[in-house]
Every structure is written in structure tokens, then in C-alpha cells.
Amino acid sequence: MIDTIYQAAALIIPLVLAIVFHEVAHGWTARALGDPTAAELNRLSLNPLRHVDPVGTILVPGMLKLAGLPVFGWAKPVPVVAERLRNPRVGMMLVAVAGPGMNLLMALAGAVVLGLLVAPYRDAEPTGVTAFLILNLFNFLAINVFLALFNLLPIPPFDGSHVVEGLLPRGAAAAYAATRPYAFFLMIGLLVVLPTIAPELDLVRRFLLPPVDWAMDQYLAVVKAVAGA
């Protein structure tokens, strides 16, 4: 039980940080581009309770984990009104990539701090608080990388779908945007049902994990360089 709590704490802390800064980055970028909606609704807070979605952050990931299915979830989206952006088409793309961009920047910061922390332990095993911090930082690195690339999938309502919508011709973009009301069912179908009935069509395993593994290798190289390994 103690080990379970230890492992859970080392996952929950970095996960909450990654999600909160991801969402707030959307709001910061929207405000900079002319839409103050998130600020007006006090959603630029770093308070996790303002961003946790009981269904998407807790219920769905927990049920998927218990069922042994691919785990994913979402936070409460920071509100962005495209019409209030100075350039709605380009602005929505920039707002969308701000979240994943923040996660990649935090992963870099985490890699530097992790390198500094493990540097004195090249010939010894860290224990106690130091070991807990190292585990948190490694999970922080992995979660931010996965969250960034996962959100760039071109499936509504993920951030990548806003980028695709901004790049498509206006007619095609309108047709693509029309799928958003069915985003939850589309997400479940493509990420849970499809891999279950046809493992060879597992989008996460085939198309997401290779770039995630590659990115992790680059960040771990930073850790080694900082640690002087």
C-alpha cells in the first residue's frame, strides 16, 4: 500500500502540473492575441481545481486503466472565443500549439533539473526525498512529452485538430469543424474501439509512440549532458 501511494504521488504531482500549465498556456496565448475570455472568467489561475474535469481527468482515465485499455483523458478546456482574436484563423492555430509547446518547454526544464539532481549520484543510489524527486522529475519529463504529442493528434477536440482546421481551405475546414459535436464518440472509436478490434490499426502505438520515444531520447540526452555522464 505504501509503495502504491508512493508511485501514485510521483505520477499525480507531475500530471497535474503538466495539465495546468498546458491549459493556462492556451489562455495566455489567446489573451496576447486579443481574446481575454479566459482572463475574464478567471481561468488563467494555476489552481488545479479550476482545470480538473471530473469526467475527463478522473473518471474516463480511471475506467480505461481498470479495463486495461489505452489511457487518455482531458482537462476542462480554457475558453477561447475565436471571433475575439485579431486573426481568428491563425490565432486559433497559435492558441492550439501553445499548450503542447508549453509541455515541451517544461520537459526541457525538467530534463535540466533532473540532470543537476542526478549528477552527484553517478556512483551511488539516491534514497529518501532525493529518490522521490528524481522519480517525479522523470515522470514529469515523460508525461509532458506524451501530453504534448498526444494533443497534436489531428482528432477533434485535440489541439492538433485546430491546426488542421486552420490549414484546410475554408470549405473543407467548415466540414471538418462540423465533426466537433461528435468528438467524444470519435475519440473513443479511434483510440479505444478500433485498437481493440484491429490491433494493427492502433493509432497511438503505430503513429504516436515512435515520435514520443524519439523525443524522450533527446530529452534524456540533455539529462546526461547536464549530469556530465
Side-chain angles (χ1 to χ4, degrees), residues 10 77 95 97 100 103 115 120-121 126 137 140 146:
V95 169
V97 300
N103 289 128
Y121 294 95
L137 282 166
F140 182 75
F146 184 83

Side-chain angles (χ1 to χ4, degrees), residues 162-198:
H162 293 288
V163 177
V164 170
E165 191 175 324
L167 294 174
L168 288 172
R170 294 191 181 276
Y176 183 75
T179 65
R180 293 196 180 278
Y182 314 101
F184 178 79
F185 302 102
L186 183 63
M187 192 167 51
I188 294 295
L190 291 175
L191 301 180
V192 178
V193 177
L194 185 61
T196 302
I197 62 177

Side-chain angles (χ1 to χ4, degrees), residues 23-177:
E23 290 300 328
V24 171
H26 288 313
W28 283 339
T29 304
R31 182 171 62 178
L33 297 176
D35 175 24
T37 303
E40 292 170 352
L41 297 176
N42 200 21
R43 286 296 309 281
L44 297 188
S45 168
L46 296 179
N47 180 356
L49 296 179
R50 295 189 180 277
H51 304 285
V52 169
D53 182 305
V55 175
T57 312
I58 300 171
L59 184 61
V60 170
M63 291 177 63
L64 292 173
K65 181 69 174 177
L66 289 173
L69 296 170
V71 177
F72 63 90
W74 59 90
K76 191 184 299 180
V78 166
V80 177
V81 179
E83 292 76 13
R84 300 183 75 179
L85 296 168
R86 286 188 289 272
N87 184 333
R89 192 170 171 85
V90 174
M92 283 302 296
M93 288 194 291
L94 294 175
V95 169
V97 300
M102 173 63 78
N103 289 128
L104 294 176
L105 285 174
M106 289 199 299
L108 180 59
V112 172
V113 176
L114 181 57
L116 294 172
L117 196 58
V118 301
Y121 294 95
R122 280 176 289 179
D123 301 316
E125 186 73 21
T127 58
V129 174
T130 303
F132 182 67
L133 288 174
I134 288 173
L135 180 57
N136 267 271
L137 282 166
F138 180 81
N139 288 340
F140 182 75
L141 178 56
I143 287 169
N144 273 288
V145 170
F146 184 83
L147 187 62
L149 298 183
F150 182 76
N151 271 281
L152 288 175
L153 287 172
I155 303 170
F158 298 140
D159 297 328
S161 67
H162 293 288
V163 177
V164 170
E165 191 175 324
L167 294 174
L168 288 172
R170 294 191 181 276
Y176 183 75

